[in-house]
Amino acid sequence: MPPTAVARSPLATPRALASSSSLASRRVQRTARGVYPARRPRRDVFRVMASASPATAPGDLISLLGTMDRTVVAERGALHLQTPLILSKPMSERFGRDVYVKLDAFQPSGSFKLRGIGYTCQKAVASDGARAFVSSSGGNAGLATAYAGQMLKIPTTVVVPQSTPAFIRARLEAYDAKVIVHGAQWSEANERAAEINASANGKMVHPFEVRSIHWSPYDGVRVDADTWTGHATVVHEIASELRALGAIRWVPTGGTLNEEEEEEEGEKAVPAMPGAFVTCVGGGGLLAGILQGLSEVGWGDDVPVIAAETIGADSLASSVDAGEVVTLPGISSVAKSLGAASPSPTVLEMCLKRRVGSKKLARPWRTTDRDAVEACVKFANDHRVLVEPACGAALAAIYSGKCDELKECGEGPIVVQVCGGAVIDLPTLAAYAKQFDVDFD
Amino acid sequence: TPLVRSAPLSAKLGAEVFLKMDCFQPSGSFKLRGIGAAVKELVDAGADGVVSSSGGNAGLATAHAARALGVACTVVLPTTTPASVKAKLESEYGAEVRVEGGVWDEANAAAEALAEETGRGLVHPFEGETTWAGHASLVEEVDAQLAEQGAPPVDAFVTCVGGGGLLMGILQGIERVERPGPVRVVAAETKGADSFARSMRRGRPHTLEDGVTSIAKSLGAATPSATVLEAALRYGRVQPHVVSDADAVRACL
């Protein structure tokens, strides 16, 4: 049965606990505030919010968990949330066709990162017996790791460079992470994190084996595949949500459309799939997850992905142009969360493979800091959501009107992955707006 | 909608604080829960359109619901309504907007007359059993989501109060879910829009003498619903809480 909200809505299901049963005969939760009958999370639901999205159609076997290992996430569910997909009326009006936005800014740790990192952490605990997490990211990956550690009750250490703002350190600590400040830049913090990781594995630690996971914020040292499988869930959710909203057709899994369901005369057929995906790219983890997800839902051969970067953080676009990995001399964009000097080689290869032939399914696109910041401001005014300039790069594909890569795509709606980002607040956005001469209204 | 544990607020309060993000409803606020249900009920009963007198979130929810169900929506607004509101309802939500009357009561009277003569359903911004039952869905969601996240059941709800529709929905929702102990409900208003707090103190509906003077226009019911007030008094654990406009704005930031 598809793990959807309405199918398991509390409105339909009577409460499981019988008030007459004694506490002794049932599992209980002991908290500081007292003892409660324990309500077991439903095994097949991964924190899908009740009634969060309309039901999937009968016979549609798309699972919102994608190819996540069910034994890993079964007990407590996945750590990320299914986030809202909404039709953006202002953006659709600007663009001239339907634009849907996937609001991953609403993930608990503030960005999409929790999808992949949450899963990697759960898998590390379930499959490898990891007893500690270590991260070297003072950005969204670090926040996602700290959140995962708090949720899984695993001690987490985050090593951050001195340049990390105080409010990020405070937020990491609010997730119960131990924060160590080391080094002037990320590479130094990363080295120290690796040392901590290594020593945690060493003999000087407590007798029973302590395993810890350390990864680069972009790929994940352990296995890239886990982080990408987690990120890929965003596509599975979008597929389900677009169908439920009637924006794309229902197609029974493994079947083809009945001839009678074909376009009737005079009526416009509902498209079978989105016209294009839009996302921003840093190191390429999210892009890889999206490409993987597209393949998994059967859209891999047809739906192009616009991969947006800002000039000054455009390592992927530069690498695709060159046909090989290009390392930027530095990051000169304000979109720090896109700040990978070089993209993941595996992701570059995935992109180049998808540019062979006429369809160009992977389409890097460059925008300016100014257009990205302006997109952030417009999006905030249109939807009352605050995102980082990195995310603004993706939004700029619609708001700037300058994305030629969107000109040739399918008939279906455009879907923009709003990756979010927690390293932003109102004063910072206002300062960027001033810096780039962007009107705040 | 997502239920998210807020780390900063939990740390600040020294208790587990969760945020029910109804701001992410497609129409922009929780209103769609109850009003969506109300519009659906009207359409199921044969109405070919709905009428609203709200230039605020209730109007947006009504227009959104009507459009989703494929029926017409007319919103009647007083002349004092800003042009941007009219534009938003028309262009973004596809509603027909009529401007009549100098204050809300006059626009509302015109809306009632229009509903009467066209046979279309009038959707009240906060009154109505179906509307309250629709809002109550949020409590059941919260209850299920807390269980999924391994958290204990809710001890207290904090909500803001305008006319009282949301509060009523929460009270009804609490009745429906199983809970080990009493659930407190903190009902917040701003000074200058605190008709509910004053009514609770007096034990009967009280109309603000100066009208609504707070900037929190969406709380702007000069008199709360009598039915909701009675339910709140009977529930016994509704705690009114009045804050200044400045504190409300600071909290938004």
Side-chain angles (χ1 to χ4, degrees):
Chain A
M1 185 167 188
T4 61
V6 174
R8 302 291 230 128
S9 162
L11 292 168
T13 313
R15 301 303 297 161
L17 298 172
S19 51
S20 60
S21 58
S22 72
L23 287 180
S25 65
R26 290 188 170 276
R27 260 188 57 198
V28 297
Q29 264 176 312
R30 294 176 196 285
T31 71
R33 283 198 298 297
V35 177
Y36 299 107
R39 286 94 50 81
R40 293 186 65 83
R42 300 183 289 251
R43 286 185 68 86
D44 58 16
V45 174
F46 70 93
R47 290 176 49 152
V48 171
M49 285 80 48
S51 311
S53 72
T56 54
D60 188 326
L61 297 177
I62 285 181
S63 163
L64 303 173
L65 289 173
T67 52
M68 276 184 168
D69 183 340
R70 298 302 187 270
T71 62
V72 168
V73 298
E75 192 57 37
R76 58 136 25 245
L79 292 176
H80 68 275
L81 302 180
Q82 178 183 6
T83 51
L85 179 83
I86 65 168
L87 173 66
S88 168
K89 298 183 185 84
M91 288 169 82
S92 302
E93 227 155 277
R94 272 176 209 273
F95 197 66
R97 56 198 277 192
D98 280 352
V99 177
Y100 286 80
V101 290
K102 180 66 169 168
L103 296 169
D104 258 4
F106 304 159
Q107 292 291 354
S109 68
S111 78
F112 76 94
K113 290 268 178 188
L114 188 58
R115 292 180 184 275
I117 286 179
Y119 181 56
T120 298
C121 288
Q122 280 185 289
K123 195 123 185 280
V125 172
S127 310
D128 290 349
R131 303 291 179 89
F133 298 142
V134 181
S135 171
S136 61
S137 155
N140 294 295
L143 288 167
T145 310
Y147 177 86
Q150 186 180 51
M151 288 294 117
L152 296 171
K153 300 190 174 34
I154 299 281
T156 305
T157 306
V158 186
V159 185
V160 299
Q162 285 149 5
S163 52
T164 308
F167 81 92
I168 289 294
R169 288 186 242 160
R171 277 212 213 142
L172 288 164
E173 281 163 353
Y175 289 134
D176 296 337
K178 179 173 173 194
V179 179
I180 297 176
V181 181
H182 180 90
Q185 45 173 350
W186 177 73
S187 53
E188 292 168 58
N190 194 44
E191 265 174 47
R192 180 90 188 92
E195 279 165 30
I196 291 172
N197 175 63
S199 70
N201 247 337
K203 294 174 253 180
M204 61 187 106
V205 189
H206 192 277
F208 64 77
E209 193 189 14
V210 170
R211 307 272 300 278
S212 50
I213 299 301
H214 167 70
W215 56 82
S216 101
Y218 308 111
D219 288 327
V221 145
R222 223 177 65 81
V223 183
D224 286 347
D226 286 346
T227 300
W228 298 351
T229 296
H231 292 335
T233 55
V234 75
V235 178
H236 290 273
E237 285 177 23
I238 288 167
S240 167
E241 288 146 10
L242 283 174
R243 288 184 168 107
L245 290 168
I248 62 177
R249 291 197 284 252
W250 292 106
V251 178
T253 308
T256 50
L257 264 192
N258 193 313
E259 300 243 329
E260 285 154 24
E261 294 167 54
E262 293 291 327
E263 178 176 344
E264 284 169 14
E265 205 171 336
E267 255 189 46
K268 197 151 177 277
V270 177
M273 56 186 74
F277 262 70
V278 180
T279 182
C280 60
V281 184
L286 175 57
L287 177 60
I290 288 175
L291 293 175
Q292 179 178 323
L294 287 173
S295 293
E296 286 166 356
V297 302
W299 295 342
D301 293 332
D302 296 290
V303 179
V305 181
I306 283 76
E309 293 171 297
T310 45
I311 293 168
D314 53 345
S315 57
L316 180 73
S318 306
S319 302
V320 168
D321 287 345
E324 58 182 14
V325 173
V326 163
T327 304
L328 300 176
I331 302 296
S332 55
S333 160
V334 299
K336 294 290 170 238
S337 293
L338 301 186
S342 61
S344 151
T346 323
V347 180
L348 173 62
E349 204 187 299
M350 287 166 89
C351 287
L352 292 172
K353 232 185 342 174
R354 284 163 172 78
R355 294 178 63 77
V356 173
S358 57
K359 266 201 196 149
K360 300 275 180 287
L361 295 169
R363 301 179 187 177
W365 175 67
R366 289 177 175 90
T367 184
T368 60
D369 272 356
R370 189 194 182 282
D371 282 350
V373 167
E374 188 172 53
C376 291
V377 172
K378 289 190 164 135
F379 190 70
N381 285 332
D382 282 343
H383 288 289
R384 296 163 305 283
V385 177
L386 195 61
V387 299
E388 290 183 19
C391 182
L395 295 167
I398 305 295
Y399 281 111
S400 73
K402 298 173 190 166
C403 182
D404 288 342
E405 310 298 341
L406 274 172
K407 283 197 176 134
E408 274 181 49
C409 51
E411 300 260 302
I414 309 297
V415 179
V416 180
Q417 161 65 335
V418 179
C419 55
V423 192
I424 186 71
D425 55 20
L426 276 175
T428 306
L429 184 62
Y432 285 146
K434 188 153 179 227
Q435 179 182 350
F436 295 102
D437 196 29
V438 168
D439 279 333
F440 224 44
D441 48 19
Chain B
T1 53
L3 182 77
V4 180
R5 180 185 176 276
S6 168
L9 290 180
S10 298
K12 201 179 171 75
L13 204 62
E16 295 293 283
V17 179
F18 286 80
L19 301 172
K20 181 63 172 166
M21 309 296 285
D22 257 8
C23 44
F24 305 155
Q25 291 288 356
S27 70
S29 78
F30 76 93
K31 291 269 180 189
L32 190 59
R33 289 182 185 275
I35 286 182
V39 172
K40 183 152 199 309
E41 190 181 56
L42 288 165
V43 171
D44 286 348
D48 66 348
V50 287
V51 183
S52 169
S53 60
S54 157
N57 295 295
L60 293 171
T62 309
H64 178 94
R67 188 190 234 177
L69 294 169
V71 299
C73 175
T74 307
V75 186
V76 185
L77 298 173
T79 52
T80 48
T81 309
S84 56
V85 170
K86 186 170 180 290
K88 191 175 177 128
L89 279 164
E90 283 174 333
S91 69
E92 270 186 52
Y93 288 81
E96 181 209 348
V97 178
R98 290 200 201 178
V99 181
E100 291 200 35
V103 289
W104 179 77
D105 306 77
E106 289 170 33
N108 192 46
E112 283 172 350
L114 179 65
E116 188 73 42
E117 81 191 39
T118 56
R120 291 185 170 174
L122 180 71
V123 182
H124 192 282
F126 53 83
E127 300 271 24
E129 286 291 345
T130 307
T131 299
W132 298 332
H135 292 333
S137 59
L138 86 86
V139 177
E140 289 163 302
E141 281 179 24
V142 167
D143 192 54
Q145 287 168 296
L146 285 172
E148 277 170 19
Q149 296 181 33
V154 65
D155 276 340
F157 272 94
V158 179
T159 182
C160 60
V161 184
L166 176 56
L167 175 62
M168 187 63 150
I170 290 175
L171 294 177
Q172 287 189 357
I174 289 172
E175 295 300 319
R176 290 194 213 166
V177 301
E178 207 180 283
R179 64 212 183 275
V183 180
R184 217 175 350 145
V185 180
V186 177
E189 292 170 297
T190 46
K191 194 162 194 301
D194 55 341
S195 57
F196 181 76
R198 288 172 191 264
S199 304
M200 285 285 283
R201 249 203 311 278
R202 286 162 175 72
R204 61 177 188 281
H206 173 81
T207 304
L208 295 174
E209 296 89 3
D210 301 322
V212 174
T213 53
S214 159
I215 57 164
K217 295 292 170 239
S218 292
L219 300 186
T223 320
S225 157
T227 321
V228 177
L229 176 67
E230 195 191 304
L233 289 165
R234 224 178 328 122
Y235 182 77
R237 282 190 172 80
V238 176
Q239 189 180 316
H241 181 70
V242 180
V243 301
S244 64
D245 273 356
D247 279 345
V249 169
R250 245 177 250 125
C252 291
L253 288 174

